[in-house]
Amino acid sequence: MKPSLLPWALLLLATVPGPGLRPAAGAQGSCSQRCGDQSGPCSCHPTCFGLASCCVDVRDFCLEISPYSGSMMGGKDFVVQHLNWSNPADSVICSFKESIQTRGYVDASGRVHCVSPLLYESGRIPFTLSMDNGRSFPRSGTWLSVHPSKVSDSEKSQLVNETRSQYYGTPGTQGNLTLTWNTSALPSDTVTIELWGYEETGQPYSQEWAAAWLYLYPLATNVHNSGSFTFTPKPAPQNFQRWEVGSLRIVDSRHRAGEQDVQALWSNEHALAWHLGDDFRMDPVAWARNQCLAWEELEDQLPTFLEELPDCPCTLAQARADSGRFHTDYGCDLEQGSVCTYHPGAVHCVRSVQASPKYDSGQQCCYTADGTQLLTADSTGGSTPDRGHDWGSPPYRVPPRVPGLSHWIYDVISFYHCCLWAPECFRYMNRRPSSDCRSYRPPRLASAFGDPHFITFDGTNFTFNGRGEYVLLEAALTDLRVQARAQTRMAPEGSQDRGTGLTAVAIQEADSDVVEVRLGDGAGVLQVLLNQEVLSFAEQRWMDLKGMFLSVAAGDRVSVMLMSEAGLEISLQGPFLSVAVLLPEKFLTHTRGLLGTLNDNPADDFTLRSGEVLPPSASSRELFRFGADWAVQNASSLLTYDSKFLVENFKERPKHDPTFLPLFPEESSASPSQASAAADLCGDDSFCKFDVAATGSLSVGNASRVAHRQHLLRVQSLQPVVSCGWLAPPANGHKQGERYLVGSTVRFRCNNGYSLAGAEASTCQADGTWSWPTPTCQPGRSYAVLLGIIFGGLGLVALVGLGYWFLRRRKSNTSFLF
């Protein structure tokens, strides 16, 4: 009998999950090389956990890691969860993007580790894992590579008083510098501190243009891992002085000098003033002036990028409301105390989300406390466009697309040369002039909230409280699709809730990733899914995704910024989701769905799929037919069905539930006490009143009131503003006033020795023109001098007359005495 058992024993061994013996690649009963696959007798798709359909080895091959993110400069050690290897026989190899390999290891507890490599890009990076020294890579996962500035302070080293280090060698800035770090982030007895430099070589905008992040030299070796190191900077050897941008790296002393892909702590990238040569320290102004002039000469040879940048919003309110195209610049953030080191006078700056299409450049817009745009033509604190977008641009990896670092090379270090280390800032500002807002056009806004109430792009208001899954927006222009799921609220026991609300919203544009935001299992919780997999925001609140950027604020608001410059904000309002969609003007005449036809004509907002248009006066029951007509079609659904409830109630049923009878607005009524409470709460807000009647809940009504008010405030912020553009001061004179919007007045004065020829003031008119051109200041006596002469002469005449009168009076008095 024993020989007959041997084949069965071998078969059992072959199906045991784990790092040793493994199933054949692609075997239908295993997840080996099948992650994301739903076919076969068991699933390797992220939805399988909720559906209880996973292959037994899904966690062995479809990897979860911790931590899941780190700097794109590499050196982050992460652990593969749920995978233990007690007696490793072969080496661990981690392969990123199928081409970049690093050596992993197994710790004393049998846990498998990888170390992230230098990537030159941000975003989600696929990786595979080999546990047989690279012969096969059946396991896969995803690593999130992030912009260096988005790495938490506990995960990097810090130069104390970083600003001082970047002025080191200039007058009054000498002495010691101190580097600090979190010792628990780098478990080692002794460490080596290294300097790495960044440069971009080759002819700009050619195939030879390349990024290089290189080890330069050790700052110190075998330093006790105390979390602090103080040093006196010395000029670098001559052959290293060409590097002006770089970072400090701390590694275990056991690693060889400059060894890549090992656990490390990086400092922020910064200007390497402290390592520059004696020629800089002897005369930093002359040295920096020469560098500024060299940059100016190079810049004048490069193609201009300014014409393809978007114009800035005219006001701070517009800039903060236009969240599809602009996002907070973390270097000058109103919500973080407005520490605007490089933009004095500003309280808030924003950057264009998308890089420009040809040159991958970026726009920056800064604003004063009264909401006025701050221009470089008026102040060195004005906003400056960037040849290299600070956040980089897909597909990254090559100049000027490398996140953060390309921006340093072409925009930041040159600012140091011209503005901070030498008094040549006018040269920099002439080549990085602020954009005004004369051609800025605000986006169009549509919203859905409450028991769902809709406000279309053209301003039409209506209520459609169906139960099912519906198309909020389709735009063939960019193949943009926004879909939503509407469900009934969990009503108190014994009551009937005839209202519904949005519980999930999914977005995709062309072949981008699919992002879905839905109500989580707990009260007041949002859940974000990427391609039907639940995301964690424990480490990062910003993600660079395929075809979009994703930002999460405070756990109750998610922003999606698309390549087309369309934007969505999905937030939690009461028991339901609130959705705001922003579209730039290029979407005019290209939209359809529940959010209407964007064409400045509210009369055709109720357009059915067939092209039939319901009149604006359509009743709620007729509009219910309009809403039902825009039910999602099964084959095109973007929404996730990862539970038995969702499968049975939405995937396997009609997308619009024909059995659900809602409460229609004209049929809604409330008890006298409820009506009184609703009147006190809602005022004249009909959406709020309806939701109180439909749900019996004042809190639901209040959530709709708040969402409606937020929509109206945003519409107000996005109202077009007329700008007349920057108005120059007269030569040999000056002006008062740096606001150039309709109704603003600019006044002119001449310097001493010059007189004004022309208007003393000019006002921005409704047609976008100034009432008067800038006057001229002509050589000659100024009005002040002339007035001084006139009034001085009059004073002298008066003085002579007074003296004459006094003498005569005295003579008269003398005659009387005698």
Side-chain angles (χ1 to χ4, degrees), residues 1-8:
M1 293 294 292
K2 289 183 180 179
S4 65
L5 290 174
L6 184 59
W8 293 102

Side-chain angles (χ1 to χ4, degrees), residues 105-408:
Y105 67 96
V106 180
D107 65 22
S109 301
R111 299 184 306 169
V112 178
H113 294 245
C114 288
V115 177
S116 65
L118 169 64
L119 288 164
Y120 294 103
E121 64 180 297
S122 56
R124 287 168 61 87
I125 308 296
F127 77 92
T128 54
L129 184 67
S130 170
M131 303 182 71
D132 56 11
N133 202 30
R135 290 188 293 275
S136 64
F137 290 85
R139 296 172 170 82
S140 62
T142 302
W143 171 250
L144 182 61
S145 174
V146 301
H147 189 293
S149 69
K150 292 185 171 68
V151 178
S152 69
D153 289 345
S154 64
E155 297 293 326
K156 57 188 175 184
S157 59
Q158 305 269 0
L159 273 168
V160 177
N161 195 344
E162 192 170 277
T163 302
R164 179 173 178 267
S165 73
Q166 297 182 107
Y167 280 90
Y168 197 93
T170 60
T173 312
Q174 303 291 335
N176 294 334
L177 296 179
T178 298
L179 183 70
T180 62
W181 64 93
N182 178 7
T183 58
S184 63
L186 188 64
S188 174
D189 293 331
T190 60
V191 297
T192 295
I193 302 172
E194 305 169 337
L195 178 63
W196 287 61
Y198 180 77
E199 64 179 353
E200 294 184 352
T201 60
Q203 180 64 33
Y205 303 104
S206 73
Q207 294 295 322
E208 291 73 36
W209 206 8
W213 187 245
L214 300 172
Y215 166 74
L216 301 185
Y217 56 83
L219 198 64
T221 59
N222 294 311
V223 176
H224 178 58
N225 188 12
S226 64
S228 179
F229 175 70
T230 298
F231 64 101
T232 302
K234 298 178 180 179
Q238 185 65 37
N239 55 325
F240 293 121
Q241 290 181 12
R242 77 170 189 269
W243 279 276
E244 299 179 46
V245 176
S247 294
L248 292 168
R249 187 181 82 151
I250 306 175
V251 296
D252 192 312
S253 292
R254 291 174 295 180
H255 296 300
R256 67 180 183 273
E259 184 176 351
Q260 290 195 349
D261 306 328
V262 297
Q263 188 175 4
L265 296 177
W266 293 93
S267 72
N268 288 328
E269 68 272 31
H270 59 276
L272 301 179
W274 56 267
H275 107 128
L276 295 177
D278 286 326
D279 52 347
F280 173 75
R281 297 190 180 192
M282 290 173 59
D283 193 344
V285 171
W287 184 94
R289 179 180 288 112
N290 288 335
Q291 297 296 105
C292 178
L293 293 173
W295 168 80
E296 183 181 50
E297 183 179 354
L298 172 63
E299 189 69 21
D300 290 344
Q301 296 171 8
L302 297 178
T304 181
F305 63 91
L306 300 175
E307 287 78 4
E308 64 171 358
L309 292 177
D311 255 17
C312 285
C314 291
T315 66
L316 177 58
Q318 284 181 335
R320 301 190 74 186
D322 191 353
S323 58
R325 292 185 286 187
F326 295 92
H327 193 271
T328 297
D329 180 345
Y330 300 112
C332 183
D333 184 357
L334 186 63
E335 295 182 3
Q336 298 297 324
S338 298
V339 183
C340 305
T341 305
Y342 300 117
H343 298 283
V347 298
H348 193 76
C349 296
V350 296
R351 291 187 183 275
S352 58
V353 173
Q354 305 294 341
S356 63
K358 186 175 182 180
Y359 295 115
D360 306 296
S361 304
Q363 183 62 280
Q364 184 192 49
C365 316
C366 296
Y367 300 87
T368 62
D370 66 356
T372 300
Q373 190 186 357
L374 190 60
L375 304 180
T376 52
D378 294 324
S379 167
T380 56
S383 50
T384 53
D386 304 316
R387 182 171 290 280
H389 196 298
D390 184 27
W391 303 335
S393 174
Y396 305 107
R397 299 188 62 78
V398 296
R401 299 172 178 266
V402 180
L405 299 175
S406 289
H407 174 55
W408 261 96

Side-chain angles (χ1 to χ4, degrees), residues 473-504:
L473 170 66
E474 286 182 351
L477 178 71
T478 63
D479 193 19
L480 170 61
R481 293 178 291 158
V482 183
Q483 300 173 359
R485 178 180 295 140
Q487 296 176 236
T488 53
R489 187 177 70 101
M490 295 296 293
E493 188 175 353
S495 65
Q496 183 180 7
D497 193 338
R498 294 176 62 190
T500 62
L502 302 184
T503 59

Side-chain angles (χ1 to χ4, degrees), residues 613-815:
V613 179
L614 301 183
S617 60
S619 68
S620 294
R621 288 184 176 271
E622 290 175 307
L623 291 179
F624 194 73
R625 178 168 72 91
F626 162 70
D629 187 61
W630 282 107
V632 171
Q633 297 171 343
N634 271 329
S636 62
S637 176
L638 302 176
L639 294 153
T640 302
Y641 310 95
D642 57 354
S643 69
K644 182 179 179 181
F645 172 82
L646 292 174
V647 169
E648 292 178 350
N649 287 274
F650 292 97
K651 186 176 183 179
E652 295 177 349
R653 287 190 179 183
K655 293 300 184 183
H656 169 72
D657 185 353
T659 67
F660 177 72
L661 183 65
L663 180 69
F664 295 105
E666 57 264 30
E667 300 170 0
S668 63
S669 61
S671 65
S673 61
Q674 190 182 67
S676 175
D680 292 341
L681 171 69
C682 302
D684 60 356
D685 192 316
S686 60
F687 293 150
C688 173
K689 292 177 180 177
F690 173 78
D691 285 1
V692 173
T695 66
S697 169
L698 289 173
S699 65
V700 174
N702 186 55
S704 291
R705 182 186 65 84
V706 171
H708 189 197
R709 182 171 178 271
Q710 288 175 344
H711 173 89
L712 296 176
L713 289 174
R714 197 164 200 167
V715 167
Q716 183 179 356
S717 295
L718 290 171
Q719 287 299 306
V721 177
V722 175
S723 169
C724 293
W726 180 70
L727 192 60
N732 301 307
H734 56 278
K735 67 179 183 181
Q736 294 177 330
E738 296 176 355
R739 188 175 177 89
Y740 308 112
L741 306 182
V742 64
S744 301
T745 297
V746 176
R747 303 186 184 280
F748 307 99
R749 295 288 184 272
C750 290
N751 298 336
N752 287 335
Y754 294 86
S755 59
L756 196 71
E760 293 186 358
S762 186
T763 300
C764 180
Q765 303 175 114
D767 64 355
T769 63
W770 289 102
S771 59
W772 297 99
T774 297
T776 59
C777 291
Q778 299 177 347
R781 299 187 184 277
S782 69
Y783 286 142
V785 173
L786 289 173
L787 288 174
I789 293 173
I790 292 171
F791 283 108
L794 290 174
L796 181 61
V797 170
L799 185 62
V800 170
L802 183 62
Y804 177 73
W805 177 83
F806 181 76
L807 289 173
R808 290 201 57 181
R809 182 182 177 97
R810 184 175 181 181
K811 183 177 180 182
S812 174
N813 290 338
T814 303
S815 300

